[in-house]
Amino acid sequence: MSWLVAVAAVGALMALTALFFRRPRPSRRPVDRDEWFALPPSLNLAEQDVRELAELGRRMEQEFGVAPVQILLDRLGIVTRRNVPLRSVRPGPARGLARICFADGTTVQVRARQVGDLGQLAVTAITEKVWVSDYRAENSNVVLDLNWNRGRVSVLAVGLDQAD
């Protein structure tokens, strides 16, 4: 019976230690554009230089977007020209994202345009041959049209990923 009390005491001590040394959670509030382009204070730049760099960042975002769209388009062009089939659909690193893996090793993170599209694509990729029929840039997004014998689905490509 004394060993049970000792185990309970050690468990309570470990729980209190874990609570005491726990790191505070970071804030989950969204970051606005001024904070996104804000430079760290350790650079000791003049206020005019900070404003100029922030303006350059905003213009770069307007012209090229946040994601490297051209790299994605180049890679998808290779997959489309070679008619590389889709091999698997795996969970992505965040909620709402999936990894689609092609037979040549190309892995792309995608987001559904409509609810249920990724589930349908995952099930279909197991039973049928799925391929990229078309891809295009819309604003700062890349849209993939994936086809199979009796259907099709459009997804938004978020970026390239590495195969697991």
Side-chain angles (χ1 to χ4, degrees), residues 13-148:
L13 184 61
M14 289 176 59
L16 286 174
T17 304
L19 285 174
F20 182 72
F21 289 109
R22 186 178 77 177
R23 293 182 184 157
R25 290 185 179 197
S27 170
R28 294 282 182 171
R29 67 178 180 80
V31 178
D32 66 347
R33 286 182 174 234
D34 291 332
E35 286 184 55
W36 181 263
F37 290 112
L39 297 172
S42 62
L43 293 178
N44 297 325
L45 295 174
E47 184 66 32
Q48 181 182 359
D49 293 337
V50 170
R51 283 194 304 263
E52 183 181 347
L53 287 172
E55 180 58 33
L56 284 172
R58 285 188 197 98
R59 283 193 299 184
M60 290 284 289
E61 181 187 4
Q62 275 183 331
E63 189 172 338
F64 298 109
V66 179
V69 173
Q70 191 58 45
I71 295 171
L72 207 55
L73 291 173
D74 290 343
R75 184 64 64 91
L76 291 171
I78 294 169
V79 170
T80 305
R81 280 191 305 275
R82 293 181 179 172
N83 204 21
V84 178
L86 182 69
R87 287 291 178 225
S88 65
V89 179
R90 299 182 182 149
R95 186 176 182 168
L97 289 179
R99 289 182 174 110
I100 58 173
C101 307
F102 291 93
D104 68 348
T106 302
T107 304
V108 180
Q109 290 183 16
V110 296
R111 175 173 285 127
R113 294 185 90 177
Q114 295 179 355
V115 176
D117 283 350
L118 292 178
Q120 180 183 13
L121 183 61
V123 170
T124 304
I126 295 171
T127 59
E128 294 185 45
K129 180 182 173 188
V130 178
W131 64 91
V132 178
S133 63
D134 190 24
Y135 64 97
R136 63 193 171 282
E138 287 182 1
N139 301 328
S140 63
N141 296 316
V142 176
V143 178
L144 282 173
D145 293 331
L146 298 157
N147 284 5
W148 56 91

